[in-house]
């Protein structure tokens, strides 16, 4: 993924990329999202609490995937009031 980093110029583009991966909703897209979140401080400027253009969060995108939602919470996702 480091080869792709040069194509992710802005935080907005990175957010768009991550949410497009979330829409794919498969093992590989989930693994890439996890990688981007766990390396955010080192390599990428992505927040686990990011929102897409419609105000959806990753927890919204993975509403039916309990293990991914738990993983997001364990990695710093701050729930909204309606998500508690």
């Amino acid at each position: 993924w480091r080869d792709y980093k040069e194509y992710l110029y802005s935080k907005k583009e990175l957010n768009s990329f991550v949410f497009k991966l979330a829409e794919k909703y498969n093992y590989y897209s989930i693994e890439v999202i996890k990688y981007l979140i766990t390396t955010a401080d080192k390599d990428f400027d992505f927040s686990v609490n990011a929102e897409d253009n419609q105000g959806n969060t990753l927890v919204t995108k993975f509403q039916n995937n309990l293990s991914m939602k738990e993983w997001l919470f364990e990695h710093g996702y701050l729930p909204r009031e309606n998500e508690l």
Side-chain angles (χ1 to χ4, degrees):
W1 282 100
R2 294 192 190 279
D3 294 338
Y4 292 103
K5 183 180 176 188
E6 65 188 60
Y7 299 106
L8 303 173
Y9 296 109
S10 72
K11 188 171 188 170
K12 182 179 178 181
E13 290 170 327
L14 180 57
N15 284 353
S16 175
F17 176 68
V18 170
F19 280 94
K20 285 179 184 176
L21 286 173
E23 289 174 12
K24 298 286 184 197
Y25 199 91
N26 62 42
Y27 171 81
Y28 300 106
S29 64
I30 289 173
E31 290 304 306
V32 171
I33 291 169
K34 287 180 177 181
Y35 173 80
L36 291 172
I37 291 171
T38 56
T39 61
D41 293 339
K42 297 177 244 172
D43 296 324
F44 300 100
D45 187 17
F46 180 76
S47 170
V48 71
N49 295 297
E51 297 179 355
D52 67 6
N53 294 336
Q54 291 81 34
N56 296 314
T57 64
L58 287 175
V59 167
T60 305
K61 295 290 186 180
F62 293 106
Q63 194 157 1
N64 296 321
N65 186 332
L66 183 58
S67 65
M68 184 61 177
K69 285 172 60 175
E70 288 175 354
W71 188 91
L72 290 168
F73 286 115
E74 290 169 2
H75 286 82
Y77 179 79
L78 300 173
R80 295 177 178 173
E81 189 173 311
N82 64 339
E83 295 171 338
L84 295 175

